[in-house]
Amino acid sequence: MEPWRDTTQPVETRVADLLSRMTLEEKIAQLAGVWVTAASSGDGVAPHQDELAEDTPPWPEVIKYGLGQLTRTFGTAPVDPQAGAKALEHTQREIMATNRFGIPAMAHEECLAGFTTWGATAYPVPLAWGATFDPALICEMGSRIGHDMRAHGIHQGLAPVLDVTRDPRWGRTEETVGEDPYLVGTICAQYVRGLEQAGIVATLKHFVGYSASRAGRNHGPVSMGPRELADVMLPPFEMALREGARSVMQSYTEIDGVPTAADHRLLTELLRDVLGFTGVVVSDYFGVSFLETLHGTAADAGEAARQALTAGVDVELPTVRCYGSPLAEAVRSGSFDESFVDRAAARVLSQKCELGLLDPSYSPSASPVPLDSADNRAVARRIAEESVVLLENSSGVLPLEARRVAVVGGLADDPLAMLGCYSFPAHVGVSHPDAGLGVEIKTVLAALRERFAEVTYVPDGPGVQAAVEAADVCVAVVGDKSGLFGRGTSGEGCDAPDLRLPGDQTDLLESVLGTSTPVVVVLCSGRPYAVPPAAATVQTFFPGEEGANAIADVLTGKVNPSGRLPVSVPAHPGAQPATYLAAPLGHHSEVSALDPTPRFPFGHGLSYTSFEYQDLRLSSTEIPADGSVDVTCTVTNSGARAGTEVVQLYLRDPVAQVTRPWRQLAGFVRVPLEPGQSTDVTFTVHADLTSFTGRDGYRLVEPGSVEVYIGRSCADTPLTASFTITGSARPVGRDRVLQSSARHS
């Protein structure tokens, strides 16, 4: 038996043997995907898909020497999942029969808000994951998504997004988990765990800095220093890599003039040499071609291939253009060293070997399962419920006990108001209206009609004020319609000039707020918006197919809200970007007349009960630079009903060699309590959590005082204390402690 077929041999031995038998064309064939079902009509789901898909060679030529990846065989057009699985199996058998080694392709799909295919559960978007502050629940969702994908023949999922929100005008804010790297990393690491445990290769994206583009414009240049990159953008990737993520996707952006797809410093020196990543780097869609067509650093497709492959992009997605004949010609002409092809091919084949795709016994047959099962919907419902954030309830109008309810706003009667742009119905289904949604998605209006005897609906225009005046309460549903590249108000390519509600929704709110009827504002959006005060305001972030039920149950009090803001809500629509993670001069000060203080800060969220914080104590007031401290407090439900408090721990370094954030999240835990019940909450905080990148560019733990804050949000911390790190400064690296541990009695 040839060594590469022998499953008892180490992966390295098998891959080395296989590579030694392959021709240049066979190795290059493993370095690209092909988008079999991509439209070249201009009605596509990716930027420049129409013009770049035309360069794909005919199918027989594409698979003649094998194929690296199959792109979105389910997620490009509506297809019955059973039929899709059969078609994928047929395609894989054709690929295996055509190339002389019988190697199948890896099949990948999007899975940012569920398996992106017709009929699959549409889960809440990542910004809603962040609002739950519930990593274990997100792990369960990731596992369910992974099992569904694997059962249909998919090997790789293009998620999660680990970008940290820096400017919420960016259209892809809905795809992020929030504005804090600790929250982003903790949540996304658990999503990775769920996917990987289900056998799906998780793909971390977008490496790195994508969310910090100038003015929040998609693909825009990034002006970011190495310290911000290291201390804000990288920690989520480090956390996720520790959970075994096997793929990373490069970012579309450029940093200081160097496109990421051509940046050896980022993709090799940092990602591999420093962070220790050993998996496969894939390009974002057409990211290699963009070196030629958008960035202008490559004169042609061959040069784009040379730049990207040298930098460390192993696989060109979504379809072959640069990593095909242009790359082969560059190698054969002697202008490009074949060792770079060998390096990338070895990584791709190693991953296929680990997945069992090189085993003689491998069969591409799938065993499809129901994609929107009752268990899936139950998890989607729990995430939706936990992600609803009660921003204000000043008049006590919630929970609703009204008999006559007026509902206003066009989004109230639109099921797509529940979905982000990577949910299949919004991502692809809108181009195929005859196919239907594929899953049951209730509207907010329908959910309210199930719960109230008299509901009057006037979306907007004449009649709104009269209907509101005649009601006991008005529920105004406003926010976003997610879409792609300008086809929505949120989503990829749908960047905003400011944080004012889109369209005439502000006028609608002002008209109903001017009546004598109490108004409950319900936001269904992909980013935070500045909205006027109301009797009550409820924030949701595209809460998925069960979102309307979750909203209605919170409004009626069946569910006690426990969501917390993963992003700050501004007091004014301008003055962006502004996040709580700024240094002191990034907050309100006497040296500027502009006050960026948010109306509702990061971590904020109200409940229908109340919680008291008492008795903060530290296990020690001094620790060495490699030590840890236990921070404990007592939390009591002082209200009349059961509820869940999200206890948050923040740290501040008041004196350091570089400016440090005003406060920074370093731990959190959800604590369910019955009325009158108390519990002790303890965080174990390692000194590594105070580390930062110093003036010399290296990360260190610096001796000195560290302030501790515990409370309900970054701005509401009733308990404070401090401890001192003693001794000398201590250098730390990728093996440092990244998270605190939390427990409650």
Side-chain angles (χ1 to χ4, degrees):
M1 178 184 291
E2 296 168 330
W4 73 272
R5 298 181 186 273
D6 186 352
T7 59
T8 66
Q9 295 294 318
V11 170
E12 295 81 1
T13 301
R14 295 176 66 187
V15 169
D17 178 67
L18 178 56
L19 275 176
S20 70
R21 301 170 187 273
M22 299 176 82
T23 66
L24 174 64
E25 283 77 12
E26 288 169 333
K27 289 183 289 189
I28 287 177
Q30 295 297 317
L31 308 187
V34 65
W35 203 346
V36 180
T37 53
S40 59
S41 61
D43 187 23
V45 298
H48 302 274
Q49 175 184 319
D50 53 331
E51 60 199 67
L52 295 178
E54 294 177 354
D55 293 337
T56 305
W59 175 246
E61 183 179 340
V62 166
I63 64 171
K64 180 179 179 181
Y65 299 108
L67 182 63
Q69 294 216 7
L70 281 166
T71 293
R72 303 191 62 179
T73 58
F74 288 87
T76 306
V79 58
D80 175 80
Q82 294 270 351
K86 287 294 182 183
L88 176 56
E89 178 183 342
H90 173 78
T91 300
Q92 288 281 38
R93 293 191 185 281
E94 186 179 7
I95 294 169
M96 294 171 67
T98 301
N99 75 86
R100 67 189 180 107
F101 296 102
I103 303 173
M106 284 184 63
H108 75 256
E109 280 293 350
E110 300 284 359
C111 57
L112 194 67
F115 180 10
T116 305
T117 189
W118 189 86
T121 304
Y123 292 93
V125 300
L127 203 55
W129 309 353
T132 70
F133 278 68
D134 192 342
L137 181 56
I138 303 308
C139 181
E140 184 177 354
M141 177 191 67
S143 178
R144 290 195 166 278
I145 293 170
H147 281 293
D148 287 347
M149 295 172 74
R150 200 72 186 91
H152 287 77
I154 302 300
H155 306 105
Q156 181 169 358
L158 303 188
V161 168
L162 292 103
D163 296 300
V164 179
T165 299
R166 300 302 278 172
D167 186 338
R169 293 175 298 179
W170 191 46
R172 304 191 79 167
T173 295
E174 65 176 64
E175 300 179 40
T176 74
V177 166
E179 68 182 52
D180 180 272
Y182 187 93
L183 178 66
V184 174
T186 302
I187 294 289
C188 286
Q190 290 305 302
Y191 182 74
V192 167
R193 172 179 285 189
L195 275 187
E196 289 281 355
Q197 286 179 346
I200 291 292
V201 174
T203 306
L204 310 183
K205 59 187 195 182
H206 308 87
F207 196 82
V208 62
Y210 189 22
S211 56
S213 58
R214 293 176 189 163
R217 294 180 59 197
N218 199 40
H219 290 218
V222 168
S223 300
M224 176 185 291
R227 187 167 294 104
E228 182 180 359
L229 184 84
D231 291 354
V232 177
M233 294 299 180
L234 284 181
F237 287 91
E238 295 179 79
M239 292 186 198
L241 287 173
R242 290 191 184 182
E243 291 297 338
R246 289 176 283 177
S247 182
V248 169
M249 176 180 283
Q250 52 85 198
S251 164
Y252 280 133
T253 196
E254 63 180 67
I255 299 178
D256 196 24
V258 181
T260 302
D263 197 334
H264 182 271
R265 181 181 60 87
L266 285 180
L267 299 182
T268 297
E269 295 176 22
L270 175 59
L271 179 60
R272 295 191 182 275
D273 299 343
V274 176
L275 299 185
F277 177 65
T278 60
V280 175
V281 174
V282 301
S283 77
D284 206 339
Y285 282 14
F286 305 112
V288 178
S289 287
F290 287 166
L291 295 174
E292 173 196 358
T293 62
L294 296 184
H295 291 294
T297 63
D300 52 39
E303 176 58 26
R306 289 192 291 271
Q307 289 185 15
L309 202 58
T310 303
V313 177
D314 301 311
V315 177
E316 179 185 18
L317 296 181
T319 203
V320 61
R321 180 176 178 269
C322 304
Y323 282 18
S325 57
L327 177 58
E329 291 169 8
V331 173
R332 292 203 181 283
S333 69
S335 64
F336 189 59
D337 195 323
E338 189 172 349
S339 64
F340 290 105
V341 173
D342 291 344
R343 181 182 71 175
R347 292 168 180 165
V348 170
L349 292 170
S350 293
Q351 192 161 93
K352 288 188 175 185
C353 187
E354 291 165 356
L355 290 168
L357 305 187
L358 302 187
D359 296 354
S361 61
Y362 173 75
S363 171
S365 58
S367 303
V369 297
L371 285 178
D372 193 29
S373 66
D375 288 342
N376 280 7
R377 291 193 78 100
V379 171
R381 178 76 164 261
R382 285 174 56 202
I383 297 172
E385 290 173 351
E386 291 188 11
S387 68
V388 175
V389 185
L390 178 58
L391 296 181
E392 61 181 337
N393 191 22
S394 57
S395 67
V397 66
L398 296 180
L400 290 178
E401 296 180 353
R403 184 175 65 86
R404 297 169 300 170
V405 179
V407 180
V408 303
L411 293 178
D413 197 28
D414 187 347
L416 292 179
M418 299 294 101
L419 305 182
C421 79
Y422 271 82
S423 295
F424 186 87
H427 195 74
V428 177
V430 290
S431 300
H432 304 271
D434 293 341
L437 295 174
V439 291
E440 179 187 347
I441 305 175
K442 195 174 296 181
T443 68
V444 174
L445 177 63
L448 292 176
R449 281 179 167 159
E450 292 176 354
R451 290 159 175 82
F452 294 98
E454 187 177 335
V455 175
T456 301
Y457 176 54
V458 184
D460 52 34
V464 165
Q465 286 190 315
V468 172
E469 291 281 12
D472 299 321
V473 68
C474 169
V475 176
V477 183
V478 294
D480 283 313
K481 186 73 172 289
S482 193
L484 290 166
F485 310 111
R487 298 193 289 271
T489 60
S490 173
E492 186 172 358
C494 298
D495 310 316
D498 57 35
L499 299 183
R500 192 186 320 271
L501 281 169
D504 59 1
Q505 294 181 100
T506 299
D507 295 337
L508 174 65
L509 278 187
E510 290 177 349
S511 70
V512 298
L513 288 169
T515 68
S516 59
T517 302
V519 177
V520 178
V521 177
V522 175
L523 286 147
C524 301
S525 64
R527 60 167 66 88
Y529 284 108
V531 294
T537 302
V538 171
Q539 173 72 66
T540 68
F541 298 107
F542 295 134
E545 64 182 31
E546 285 289 332
N549 283 323
I551 291 168
D553 283 348
V554 166
L555 294 183
T556 59
K558 182 179 180 181
V559 170
N560 192 350
S562 61
R564 300 295 184 264
L565 284 176
V567 286
S568 307
V569 172
H572 308 286
Q576 296 301 315
T579 78
Y580 96 97
L581 272 181
L585 284 176
H587 294 264
H588 178 55
S589 73
E590 68 279 2
V591 299
S592 173
L594 183 61
D595 185 357
T597 302
R599 183 163 175 236
F600 301 108
F602 174 86
H604 170 78
L606 303 179
S607 170
Y608 293 147
T609 189
S610 56
F611 299 94
E612 292 184 358
Y613 288 74
Q614 296 173 310
D615 194 18
L616 179 63
R617 59 258 192 209
L618 275 60
S619 60
S620 176
T621 57
E622 291 188 354
I623 64 171
D626 61 352
S628 61
V629 58
D630 284 349
V631 181
T632 302
C633 70
T634 302
V635 181
T636 302
N637 182 344
S638 55
R641 63 174 292 175
T644 297
E645 175 71 329
V646 179
V647 181
Q648 300 163 47
L649 167 73
Y650 294 86
L651 301 178
R652 177 173 180 255
D653 187 347
V655 179
Q657 60 180 266
V658 298
T659 60
R660 301 292 294 132
W662 166 71
R663 288 178 186 177
Q664 188 162 5
L665 185 69
F668 60 86
V669 62
R670 292 176 59 89
V671 181
L673 293 170
E674 295 296 320
Q677 183 183 4
S678 297
T679 188
D680 282 350
V681 177
T682 298
F683 295 95
T684 299
V685 181
H686 195 279
D688 286 1
L689 291 175
T690 72
S691 67
F692 59 89
T693 303
R695 292 190 183 187
D696 62 0
Y698 294 96
R699 181 175 289 277
L700 77 157
V701 174
E702 190 174 54
S705 177
V706 177
E707 297 172 357
V708 177
Y709 302 85
I710 290 184
R712 306 172 184 90
S713 76
C714 70
D716 184 1
T717 51
L719 302 180
T720 64
S722 65
F723 62 89
T724 300
I725 297 175
T726 61
S728 302
R730 171 175 160 261
V732 294
R734 76 184 194 204
D735 60 345
R736 72 188 187 280
V737 176
L738 291 171
Q739 296 170 281
S740 61
S741 63
R743 59 189 183 276
H744 57 90
S745 57

